[in-house]
Amino acid sequence: MGVELAPAAAVDPKDRHRPGLPYPNPLAGNPPGAPRYGARVRRRDGSELTVACPVATRLMVALMDMDAVLGGSACHWGGPAALAELMSAIHGLMFLADPWHQSYNFVNDAGHTENGLYALRANYGFADLSIAELRRFRSLDSRLTGHGEAHLFPEAVMISNGPLGSGLGVAQGLAMADRLADRARTTICVISDGALYEGEAKEAVSAIPGLAAKGLLAPFVMVISDNNTKLSGRCDADAFAQAPYFRSLAAQGWTIVRCEQGNDLQAAFSAVEEALARAAADPLHPVALWATTIKGFGVASTMKSASGGHGYPLSAADAASGKLRAFVEEIAGGRPLPEEFARWLADLEAVAKAKLEKAAAKPASALKTDKIQAGFAKAMIAAAKEGLPLVSISADLQGSTGVAPFRSAFPQLSFEVGVAEANMVSVAAGFSKQGYVPVVDTFAQFGVTKGLLPLIMANLSQAPVIAVYSHTGFQDAADGASHQALMYIAMTAAIPHTVLYCPASAEEAEWAMAEAIRRFVAGRRAGQIPESVVFFCGRENFPISLRPEGASYAWGQAMRVAGRDEGPGVVISACGSMVWQAVQAARRLEERGRRCLVLNNATPNQPDVATHAAALARMGGALLTVDDHQVTGGAGELLVARLAAQGCAPRVRCLGVRGEFGQSAYTADELYRKHGIGVDGIVAAAQELAP
């Protein structure tokens, strides 16, 4: 159809094309008409086209983000603000084809910008998406997840996104499949400069022009949003500059279309139009549209911020005090807000004031809480002050994983490799071989996927590392399925010479990190190869300590944290974020006259079988395990298998996720309730197990 593509080399012409299996395409067709809020651009032929107004996109992003913040969620502002003009241009041109998805594949590999796409597409009414629906963004009952999820919104999301750099290779596969099927459809992949740090993205960047030159790809356009900014700060200042890499794309076989003003709508539109035309005219040479953008564009404070206002910079207090109104009015450039946006803004201000008043009327809790990961940096700082050769190697998430205070205190011992988890772990292995104690950090989902093979190779190379992997399970509620590590124990438990440690509190995290460093140093000094230690923890606030008075931490020993050590009743075994859920459930069970004992099984791949077996003998043999994880391969199954190997066969029920992906929600508790692993689910299961 359309352009004739060059045949692949060394293939019989009569057999070089073969279609795939037909199946219903879930993608929505063209929107019903022009965007509700439009802007005019001039095409190459001199005609004019109405595209989605990028200012309206930014207004909707700001307002929908505040709705999510009031619900208890985190959001993104900087990335979608930077890409608003380019996304308007891309969609305006794609929607000229009818149906658009027969002429274009569209992949968003800048996953933290998906809310900008929701706003733009609601402007069009695409996939029956309304502006009103934006108000449920990131909530449990919404298809508008934190990052695009094909399993929840297949009408609009072709490829699930979120982990940076993971979409470009899929886009490559789409274009290769189109070539094999003899379709001249153009694949467009939008990617951020930060995502192009990733090794998997660089593999695709190299492969796409190489395979295209052999006639194995349909037309391909990669759109790069280059604002020299990642989550934690400027690329060149924190890690290293990307501009030399982008300039090298021409030598790698890409045709470069340069757009110096990516936040000028006409400039962005002209660049996209040129890129699409050049790709269609010459499929043997994929096109890289290298656009300079400004992260957080539209608001001076976020444009100047080192992170570009990556997250949403406003709180409920800001909405109630008038700062949200000033923020929105600055985006609008002094123009009057459309009536529906003005009503939306006023409603948000009222909701924020009511929320603050309710919080002020609520009695202050005596329970002191903190993020679990706060303890890691304290132990790391103490070790460095002691003179131990501790180094921190990060991949852009140090502010979220809790190690940032160490990096501020010891910048000379801190290194940033960019958004590149695999490289981070490999670099740490190099430091380990040279006598250092390396600590790496990232979200659990990225550590156990992108960093898994390097961790295996580090241990195989006798180069142990210490890892801090945060945001386990549903604890990364708002970001959705792509960020929710529901298989982290199963994916790492069997790595030789590796201990998994899941602390339940900041106090335990501080003790365990200090102990891990001590064991590492003692092993090296004794001429032994220490074990790698992978710490897994949640992200929300938990009690600072769950240690009973008089109890002491001991490496590899399960601690009783709640309940009475006598039966008959139920032994509840949990680790990490689920310990607090189990403790609350135990209190409720005791109020109902039920006996239970909660054990903190902090080292799930090396469980304390003796303590569990003894407790089961005293409590009558009923065991309830609780995992913020798939049941398959989780801490519960590992524990039961070890108990069975020792001849202990309790009556068992394992709570966990049963073969499903997650989704966005404002808080982890909402997802715990949905999957039956929260306080209510634990109480119900305990009562059924030991009536």
Side-chain angles (χ1 to χ4, degrees), residues 35 37-41 49-54 88-89 92-93 123-124 265 269:
Y37 301 100
R40 302 287 286 176
V41 292
L49 178 69
T50 298
V51 299
C53 174
S88 288
L93 287 164
N123 192 358
Y124 274 103
L265 180 58
F269 181 86

Side-chain angles (χ1 to χ4, degrees), residues 556-559 565 571 597 599 601 603 606-618 639 642-648:
Q557 290 186 16
M559 176 183 286
D565 197 4
V571 175
L597 171 66
L599 292 177
N601 177 29
T603 53
Q606 296 183 7
D608 180 359
V609 173
T611 296
H612 280 86
L616 286 165
R618 291 190 298 272
L639 173 62
R642 295 290 181 90
L643 287 169
Q646 297 296 318
C648 179

Side-chain angles (χ1 to χ4, degrees), residues 408-438:
S408 295
F410 293 95
Q412 73 277 23
L413 301 177
S414 302
F415 304 90
E416 163 77 65
V417 299
V419 188
E421 295 82 5
N423 186 242
M424 172 186 70
V425 178
S426 294
V427 167
F431 270 98
S432 180
K433 292 294 283 190
Q434 299 283 27
Y436 291 90
V437 183

Side-chain angles (χ1 to χ4, degrees), residues 368-393:
K368 294 183 179 180
T369 64
D370 198 356
K371 294 186 183 299
I372 293 173
Q373 54 262 52
F376 295 129
K378 293 179 181 179
M380 293 167 64
I381 289 170
K385 286 182 177 179
E386 188 182 333
L388 298 177
L390 190 77
V391 293
S392 168
I393 302 99

Side-chain angles (χ1 to χ4, degrees), residues 182-199:
D182 197 26
R183 288 189 296 260
R185 178 162 45 196
T186 298
T187 295
I188 303 170
C189 182
V190 180
I191 193 166
S192 64
D193 49 356
L196 282 168
Y197 277 118
E198 291 282 8

Side-chain angles (χ1 to χ4, degrees), residues 58 77-78 81 234 294-309 313-314 323 326-333:
R58 279 188 275 268
W77 156 254
R234 302 299 181 191
I294 300 173
K295 197 170 181 182
F297 187 81
V299 176
S301 60
T302 54
M303 292 166 67
K304 294 175 184 176
S305 167
S307 68
L314 300 179
K323 288 184 179 180
F327 192 88
V328 169
E329 289 175 347
E330 185 175 353
I331 295 170

